[in-house]
Amino acid sequence: MSTQDFPTPSREFRYYGVRPAWQWIDLAEVWRFRELIWMFALRDLKVRYRQTVVGIAWAVLQPLATMVIFWVLFQLLRGKPTASGLPYAVTSLCGLLPWQFFAASVTNATLSLVENQNLIQKVYFPRVILPVSSMIPALVDFCFAFVLLIGLMFFYGVAPTWTVVLLPFFLLLGFITALAVAMWLSALNAIYRDIQYVVPFVMQIGMFISPVVYEMDAAIPQNWQWLYSLNPMVSVLEGFRWTLLGMQPPALGPMLVSFAGVALVFVSGTFYFRRMERFFSDRI
């Protein structure tokens, strides 16, 4: 039998070589699989609110209850968690909403790879889609709770200024910050299961070392704000308050330090996720 008896392949196969150990995420490939993001997100939303009595109202009740608890606490202690002169209910809720989006996104994304291990072992798709899609339900909760914040601002007569046009930038910055931390923790949790037990504790501590229920100028001395701004969420929270409530703009130096922290965590998290991606199928 000669080689002519075998059918000629309809397409050629090209060998691209061994993939580098450190590599950036292929955004074009993620875009081709973009429909999976919405499918996974819709699945998570249906599971979250299935057989619940209150339903989507949990997205409003949780930050509202937290705000009331801290308001009562600061009233009893006669503390001064604000320096802007605005009602504490408004400034605290303005910090709670982006923080709870961050905490919920990171917590959900940390478990996303392990919870979808059957898919990872059977079907190929960009693995970064899993942590991204797990953040969408938290974003939906944020949108519903944001309506409560607007209503509270109207009740207290707090009107936004021209700086509100910059609000989408800080919303995007908050999403990038959450994704940056999520890529690190989801990849680590796929290898070391201890991470999923550490994350809730870290989120609780992070709430108190971030300007969530207090303003940075009211609680952190000026000399320490540079060090304090190494926390990537400082720029998100302070910028969110500034653009929405028309407060005094945060100091440029500490904000740049926080921006640099976000960029460092995002770039390093991206490369680390891609490096560990090849081991997910074997280690999960």
Side-chain angles (χ1 to χ4, degrees), residues 221-260:
Q222 193 74 25
N223 296 334
W224 290 95
Q225 289 187 4
W226 289 83
L227 180 63
Y228 182 76
S229 296
L230 290 174
N231 179 352
M233 282 299 292
V234 169
S235 59
V236 177
L237 296 168
E238 290 295 297
F240 193 81
R241 284 195 178 101
W242 167 53
T243 56
L244 188 60
L245 303 182
M247 297 167 50
Q248 290 294 325
L252 181 60
M255 288 292 285
L256 291 177
V257 172
S258 188
F259 287 156

Side-chain angles (χ1 to χ4, degrees), residues 68-204:
V68 171
I69 291 172
F70 278 101
W71 178 79
V72 173
L73 179 63
F74 280 115
Q75 288 294 320
L76 293 176
L77 298 179
R78 297 182 179 180
K80 295 181 179 180
T82 63
S84 60
L86 294 173
Y88 177 72
V90 176
T91 59
S92 62
L93 191 61
C94 197
L96 281 167
L97 295 191
W99 173 259
Q100 291 196 349
F101 163 74
F102 171 80
S105 297
V106 171
T107 302
N108 296 337
T110 300
L111 301 173
S112 61
L113 296 177
V114 176
E115 291 179 344
N116 293 277
Q117 55 183 326
N118 292 332
L119 286 175
I120 292 176
Q121 293 171 350
K122 296 177 181 179
V123 183
Y124 173 76
F125 56 90
R127 307 311 189 198
V128 72
I129 283 179
L130 290 173
V132 171
S133 63
S134 65
M135 295 170 59
I136 303 299
L139 184 61
V140 173
D141 290 348
F142 172 85
C143 293
F144 279 99
F146 189 77
V147 176
L148 172 65
L149 176 60
I150 297 301
L152 201 63
M153 291 174 59
F154 179 79
F155 177 79
Y156 282 102
V158 179
T161 61
W162 68 268
T163 56
V164 74
V165 299
L166 300 176
L167 183 62
F169 168 77
F170 287 98
L171 292 176
L172 178 61
L173 182 65
F175 189 91
I176 293 175
T177 304
L179 179 59
V181 178
M183 285 192 294
W184 266 107
L185 295 180
S186 60
L188 284 169
N189 188 58
I191 310 300
Y192 310 104
R193 293 294 194 276
D194 305 60
I195 300 300
Q196 60 187 333
Y197 304 110
V198 176
V199 168
F201 174 74
V202 173
M203 291 297 107
Q204 290 179 357

Side-chain angles (χ1 to χ4, degrees), residues 14-31:
R14 183 178 300 176
Y15 177 65
Y16 291 94
V18 180
R19 195 182 78 177
W22 299 98
Q23 190 178 20
W24 185 258
I25 289 178
D26 189 348
L27 297 179
E29 185 182 43
V30 174
W31 177 253

